[in-house]
Every structure is written in C-alpha cells, then in structure tokens.
Amino acid sequence: ITIEDNFLDQVEFNKIEEIMMGPQFPWFYIDRIVFEDDVDKFQFFHMFYENGAPAQDNSLMLLASMQEKFQIIALFRIKANLLTRTPKIVESDFHIDMGGTFTEEKLKQWNTSVFYINTNNGYTKFEDGTKVESVANRMLSFPANMKHAGTSCTDKRTRVVINFDYFKSP
C-alpha cells in the first residue's frame, strides 16, 4: 500500500475538485455499492473509462494529468463514487474492483488506486484492519487483488473518490 498526499499540484487539483463537486457534473444513481443484494445501500457514480473505452462525455480529459503520473500501460476502469452523508459511518462489503474479470494470478499484476476529492471522516479499509482516511488530493495505491471497502461519512454532505484500475510499467 502506498499513500501520496498532495498528489496533484494545487491548481490542477482545484480544477478537478471544482468541476466534480459542482452542479454541472453528471452523477448517476445505482441502488447498491458493491453487490446487488446491498440492502438500503446506494451511491452515485460517474464512469470515466470502462471496458477499454472512454466515456461518451469526454470527461476523461479532466484526469489527463493523473494518468500521466501513473505510467499506465493498460487501463481497465476509472470510476468516481459519491456517497451521501449518513447518521453513522456505513462500510461497504470487502471487494476487489476487478473481481470476476481476471484470475487471482493476473490480478496481482494490476493496480487499484483511490483518489480522494474531498476531506471527510470516511475512509478506505483493508481486510487486515488498515484504514486510510479520506483526505483531499490524496492518492492511495495497492495491488488490484487486495480486498478493500469504502465508507460513507458523517461530517460532510458527500464523500467523493475516483477509483483507477490499471496496469503500469514496472
């Protein structure tokens, strides 16, 4: 697991944050967070890239500076999640973003990164109990085969992250 604070220079980060937290950014409702049987759990998402193709709305250009820093060879998915405030923190189920797509051996070769758009009391949790706090402009990276869980937050209106699943040069 690696954590890099101030991942983007402040001007670039402010541009992304302003757009994604603004009233014109397109968010889409889904009635689950991880699994179809998630009872009483929901989130909003925005797909930047999926199944080898960028989204139709050209929003991928917003993240060009981030992709350059990763040294990406192959991209699987880039997806933003927005969870609304809850009375108490709700954790999602542990999962692998690319689960069911690749074998366990293949997953070890890929990476998952979580970029935090806003600071709040939510976090990303791993099976060993490690928690990474949601801090604006923080990038968390780990092998794609590591199960993790996201959360809601209680201190802000929303918790917004961008998930990247990719293969990078060694």
Side-chain angles (χ1 to χ4, degrees):
I1 296 175
T2 61
I3 299 169
E4 187 177 344
D5 287 332
N6 302 310
F7 184 73
L8 296 175
D9 70 62
Q10 199 60 46
V11 171
E12 186 67 24
F13 173 74
N14 289 347
K15 180 176 91 175
I16 293 170
E17 182 215 23
E18 184 178 316
I19 291 169
M20 290 188 66
M21 301 296 280
Q24 300 300 313
F25 193 75
W27 291 103
F28 301 92
Y29 171 81
I30 188 166
D31 64 354
R32 63 184 156 274
I33 295 176
V34 178
F35 301 110
E36 287 187 25
D37 61 352
D38 279 346
V39 178
D40 296 332
K41 292 181 182 176
F42 68 92
Q43 68 180 351
F44 295 89
F45 74 95
H46 179 89
M47 198 65 71
F48 287 97
Y49 192 95
E50 185 174 35
N51 297 325
Q56 297 295 321
D57 64 1
N58 295 321
S59 61
L60 189 60
M61 293 183 303
L62 180 65
L63 307 179
S65 61
M66 296 169 93
Q67 294 178 70
E68 290 171 18
K69 290 187 78 166
F70 284 131
Q71 300 176 318
I72 292 173
I73 292 175
L75 189 54
F76 180 74
R77 183 177 75 169
I78 302 175
K79 177 182 172 234
N81 294 327
L82 180 153
L83 287 114
T84 57
R85 177 175 43 211
T86 52
K88 63 178 186 159
I89 290 183
V90 177
E91 294 181 354
S92 72
D93 294 321
F94 285 107
H95 63 281
I96 295 169
D97 287 358
M98 299 165 57
T101 306
F102 295 113
T103 64
E104 178 69 21
E105 196 57 39
K106 195 69 124 167
L107 278 174
K108 291 178 185 176
Q109 301 169 15
W110 287 72
N111 300 279
T112 295
S113 293
V114 179
F115 184 69
Y116 301 91
I117 297 295
N118 64 329
T119 298
N120 56 73
N121 66 354
Y123 51 87
T124 302
K125 184 177 179 180
F126 293 91
E127 285 186 304
D128 68 0
T130 300
K131 291 181 183 178
V132 178
E133 297 174 353
S134 296
V135 175
N137 201 10
R138 169 177 281 177
M139 183 66 77
L140 162 68
S141 299
F142 50 94
N145 67 330
M146 286 185 72
K147 288 188 176 182
H148 60 285
T151 69
S152 61
C153 66
T154 63
D155 65 336
K156 302 290 181 187
R157 288 181 172 218
T158 59
R159 176 176 183 260
V160 180
V161 301
I162 305 173
N163 298 308
F164 296 81
D165 298 301
Y166 58 98
F167 185 84
K168 69 177 183 175
S169 60

